[in-house]
Amino acid sequence: MTATVVSKIPQGGMTNALGILPGGTGAYLVNRTGTASSIVVHGYDAASGTWTKYPGTTPGDGVVVVAGAIDPASRIYYYAALGTGTTTTPGKVTVYGFNTQTNTAIPGVIATFDLPITSRFSANGDIAFDASGNLYIVTSANSSNNAAIGVVPGPLPTTGSATGVALTDTLLTTINNPQQRQYNGIAFNNNGELFIEFSSPAPSTATFLQAVNPNNGALIGQAKQLSDTTFASVDLGACSTNPTLTPQKNIAGRFATSTTSNDQFELSITGGGISSGNTATTTGTTTGVQSPAAGPSSAWRTRRTR
């Protein structure tokens, strides 16, 4: 795969946590020097090709931000620091926010959740949002064979607090990683495929993209190496989101009027490894479009039944 330079990020510190606005109109990332007084959000305007610095929410000294993405619904830029766990407990993810419509930081902590791996080593990783506002996270641990993808149901909170809202991260899949690769990027394409990015351990600068089924975490085909090996890539972002299905039943007339009768309809979305949030059953006696809906679910290789 061929990498092409679009713009060079302003110098200063170490930038990471790339998030791209819907339609590719702009991008945001964080200067992650680890110094409390120097957390900066860099905003990129695709129309003018210019970068602007904004004050970000201060996570504290030594906190390293590595993950970032923009929720396509709220257009909030979320960025996160990944904590270190133990051999039996996962590290904690701490999420912060930045309003891309006003270009102002959201005070406080947005949310926290557990990493989908347990390791006593420092964690690397990235986040991405699907079209429904669910957060996907890929992570690996330094000097460890652990790597995994998890999903946090959305939408995420849009305001912060002292400790943030505790969210639940569900393991989507574990990834065998005996090479101790750094999994540090995740994003959707417009076909609904999820891509994760990983780089070989130093001193190698080889970076790879791997397609993933977002419904069950199954790896699709072989990983593809990027053509540019000048530096190992450390993040991944995209302006596209996955297509989704949300079928609802439009009832023109009912045979029975009793709410206890079997005059209802079951909806389901199947295929492609979907296993949750994909069914619904109508209720009541009204006609027209019914409010119970199956999904939304990723439309990647799915089929609708009724």
Side-chain angles (χ1 to χ4, degrees):
M1 301 184 69
T2 303
T4 303
V5 175
V6 175
S7 177
K8 292 185 178 181
I9 301 168
Q11 293 182 347
M14 186 178 296
T15 51
N16 205 328
L18 175 66
I20 301 179
L21 285 168
T25 57
Y28 290 82
L29 43 80
V30 168
N31 179 322
R32 61 180 187 91
T33 61
T35 303
S37 60
S38 64
I39 296 298
V40 173
V41 173
H42 293 273
Y44 175 71
D45 185 337
S48 62
T50 58
W51 290 88
T52 305
K53 293 183 179 180
Y54 305 101
T57 302
T58 301
D61 282 328
V63 175
V64 179
V65 173
V66 298
I70 294 176
D71 185 333
S74 67
R75 299 177 74 90
I76 290 177
Y77 168 51
Y78 292 95
Y79 55 95
L82 279 55
T84 302
T86 70
T87 55
T88 58
T89 60
K92 188 74 69 175
V93 179
T94 305
V95 183
Y96 305 90
F98 185 87
N99 188 326
T100 66
Q101 299 183 77
T102 61
N103 283 322
T104 55
I106 299 174
V109 177
I110 298 292
T112 62
F113 58 87
D114 289 339
L115 285 169
I117 59 173
T118 58
S119 176
R120 63 183 178 86
F121 301 103
S122 59
N124 202 341
D126 194 18
I127 59 174
F129 289 93
D130 67 12
S132 301
N134 301 308
L135 182 151
Y136 287 72
I137 179 169
V138 64
T139 183
S140 62
N142 297 334
S143 303
S144 162
N145 295 344
N146 292 333
I149 301 174
V151 182
V152 178
L156 263 64
T158 57
T159 58
S161 64
T163 58
V165 177
L167 303 177
T168 301
D169 180 16
T170 300
L171 176 66
L172 183 64
T173 189
T174 56
I175 303 170
N176 188 29
N177 188 30
Q179 305 91 340
Q180 297 181 1
R181 293 162 167 167
Q182 292 292 309
Y183 284 79
N184 48 24
I186 188 169
F188 280 95
N189 70 0
N190 56 6
N191 290 327
E193 287 178 321
L194 185 64
F195 281 85
I196 55 176
E197 176 189 75
F198 62 86
S199 56
S200 300
S204 173
T205 54
T207 302
F208 301 83
L209 289 181
Q210 172 70 62
V212 178
N213 180 341
N215 297 323
N216 59 14
L219 304 184
I220 304 169
Q222 298 296 318
K224 305 294 184 181
Q225 184 176 348
L226 296 182
S227 61
D228 189 348
T229 58
T230 306
F231 302 99
S233 297
V234 296
D235 214 342
L236 195 63
C239 61
S240 56
T241 57
N242 60 316
T244 61
L245 292 175
T246 311
Q248 292 176 275
K249 183 65 178 178
N250 184 9
I251 300 178
R254 291 182 179 269
F255 176 76
T257 58
S258 171
T259 57
T260 61
S261 70
N262 194 29
D263 190 20
Q264 304 300 337
F265 297 83
E266 295 181 350
L267 302 171
S268 66
I269 306 170
T270 61
I274 294 177
S275 59
S276 63
N278 58 319
T279 62
T281 302
T282 62
T283 61
T285 60
T286 62
T287 57
V289 177
Q290 304 296 294
S291 57
S297 295
S298 171
W300 184 82
R301 295 184 183 178
T302 62
R303 64 179 182 272
R304 183 177 63 180
T305 62
R306 63 178 183 177

